Amino acid sequence: MLRVEEDAFWAWATIETLRHTGVRIEELLELTHLALISYRLPDTGEVVPLLQVVPSKSNEEWLLLVTPELASVLAAVVCRVRDADGRVPLAARYDPHERITGPFLPHLFQRKEGWRREIISQQKVNRLISARLARTGLTDRAGQPLRYTPHDFRRMFTTDAVTGDLPVHIAARILGHHSLNTTQAYLAVFQDDLIRSYRTYLDTRRANRPAAGYREPTEEEWDEFQKHFELRKVELGTCGRPYGTPCAHEHACIRCPLLRVDPEQRRRLEEIIRNLTDRINEARANGWLGEVQGLQVSAEAARNKLSTLDRLARNRPRA
């Protein structure tokens, strides 16, 4: 029972620390009691707690503001690992990537194994997270058990921070990224979040600009705009023609590069190719050479559409 209770505590501590900091797993396991420092704000004199993170992918350390939630977790960890005299024991961490053992430091994520003090390994952290997740019984849409890695909590931290109005360049500094592109790759922006954020941006921009620049469209203009999108629905899929432009192919959609074929219309496309092939053979048999050339252009365009459809189907990610 003691081992079960201890595993439950360390699963909670690692998940909560990863969730509130966004640090990598290597950086989590290298946190020490010495990483907890304080900083006095020069304008107000307020003292705020900070967490000094030792980087695992760069040579620059950075500081994280310790939130009340994170402070509660770290305080529980310190109480768990310290000795009777109140000090956090010294332990050395073996780095499996560099294959070296570090110096003896008061590591936070350590546990007693027999008579020795050892730093929790990355494999142990993965097992703890998987075990806690299995106990929840959560599954994906396919009915398979959910799988989380420590790095998934880094993505969650980034998404929560940026969708909570934290500027992305500030999030990049918190995560220790040198490029905003790296930070943006961690974001999981959903369609409703995108629409809501963009509408907020438009409202703010409109409020800061002259009202004369935003004329309301007339009923005729709005009806014409909506009809354009209705006309984009064609037999084989959707027409990608820009608004207000005429059809350059006189609705010969099979030849048009702007046609986006619906995957559900694949059989119809194959039927069109077979029909064009039969008509080409008939035209050749009757000596209609001019018609043969036009049919061949349509058949080649249809085959290209079919190959494009198959290529997209192969590259489409599976859930």
Side-chain angles (χ1 to χ4, degrees):
M1 290 297 296
L2 290 177
R3 178 61 66 178
V4 173
E5 189 274 335
E6 186 176 9
D7 286 348
F9 172 81
W10 286 116
W12 167 81
T14 53
I15 291 174
E16 289 297 295
T17 306
L18 291 170
R19 187 170 68 92
H20 288 299
T21 61
V23 296
R24 302 178 181 90
I25 180 61
E26 301 90 343
E27 297 161 351
L28 171 80
L29 299 178
E30 291 184 358
L31 290 178
T32 68
H33 200 198
L34 303 175
L36 296 170
I37 61 177
S38 60
Y39 175 72
R40 185 180 298 276
L41 297 176
D43 51 349
T44 63
E46 179 186 1
V47 177
V48 295
L50 298 176
L51 184 66
Q52 188 175 23
V53 179
V54 178
S56 62
K57 286 192 174 181
S58 64
N59 295 324
E60 297 180 8
E61 297 181 352
W62 69 91
L63 299 172
L64 288 174
L65 179 65
V66 177
T67 63
E69 297 82 3
L70 178 59
S72 176
V73 177
L74 295 179
V77 171
V78 172
C79 292
R80 184 85 180 190
V81 301
R82 66 185 177 186
D83 289 332
D85 58 1
R87 293 183 299 179
V88 176
L90 302 181
R93 177 177 178 268
Y94 175 75
D95 192 325
H97 300 290
E98 299 183 2
R99 297 182 179 180
I100 59 174
T101 300
F104 283 86
L105 294 171
H107 287 280
L108 295 180
F109 288 84
Q110 59 171 284
R111 59 194 297 175
K112 197 170 184 179
E113 299 289 346
W115 57 272
R116 295 186 305 170
R117 289 278 183 174
E118 292 185 355
I119 312 302
I120 300 176
S121 65
Q122 297 184 26
Q123 293 78 8
K124 181 63 177 179
V125 172
N126 289 326
R127 289 196 296 269
L128 290 174
I129 294 176
S130 299
R132 302 308 294 180
L133 192 60
R135 293 189 62 180
T136 65
L138 296 175
T139 60
D140 58 18
R141 291 185 177 182
Q144 299 298 320
L146 288 180
R147 297 184 180 277
Y148 274 70
T149 67
H151 212 75
D152 289 328
F153 294 98
R154 184 171 172 84
R155 298 184 177 92
M156 295 178 192
F157 173 85
T158 309
T159 301
D160 289 342
V162 176
T163 55
D165 296 332
L166 182 70
V168 67
H169 67 281
I170 300 297
R173 292 294 299 273
I174 293 176
L175 294 169
H177 290 160
H178 291 155
S179 172
L180 292 182
N181 294 331
T182 305
T183 307
Q184 290 170 344
Y186 280 75
L187 297 177
V189 180
F190 301 98
Q191 191 68 19
D192 54 345
D193 296 330
L194 188 148
I195 294 174
R196 191 184 310 110
S197 299
Y198 190 64
R199 280 183 171 176
T200 302
Y201 160 74
L202 291 178
D203 292 341
T204 303
R205 187 181 67 172
R206 178 172 291 188
N208 294 332
R209 290 189 177 184
Y214 295 95
R215 179 180 64 83
E216 292 293 333
T218 63
E219 291 292 335
E220 293 77 11
E221 291 172 336
W222 187 245
D223 289 340
E224 180 186 354
F225 182 73
Q226 289 184 317
K227 287 179 181 178
H228 165 76
F229 290 97
E230 294 175 0
L231 294 175
R232 289 179 62 181
K233 298 297 182 181
V234 293
E235 179 187 12
L236 292 175
T238 305
C239 176
R241 182 164 47 91
Y243 170 71
T245 59
C247 179
H249 293 84
E250 298 180 355
H251 302 285
C253 298
I254 198 65
R255 299 185 182 185
C256 184
L258 296 179
L259 172 63
R260 301 168 185 170
V261 180
D262 186 350
E264 296 182 357
Q265 299 298 325
R266 192 183 191 284
R267 291 185 178 180
R268 175 58 179 156
L269 186 58
E270 293 175 339
E271 182 182 345
I272 291 175
I273 293 174
R274 289 194 298 268
N275 178 264
L276 288 170
T277 303
D278 294 340
R279 291 174 60 187
I280 290 173
N281 294 333
E282 180 185 6
R284 283 175 176 170
N286 292 294
W288 303 332
L289 301 182
E291 188 173 349
V292 169
Q293 185 177 4
L295 292 171
Q296 285 177 335
V297 173
S298 296
E300 182 64 23
R303 294 190 190 97
N304 290 337
K305 291 285 190 301
L306 185 62
S307 62
T308 301
L309 197 64
D310 291 340
R311 185 178 68 253
L312 292 176
R314 290 193 301 269
N315 297 335
R316 187 179 296 114
R318 296 181 179 270

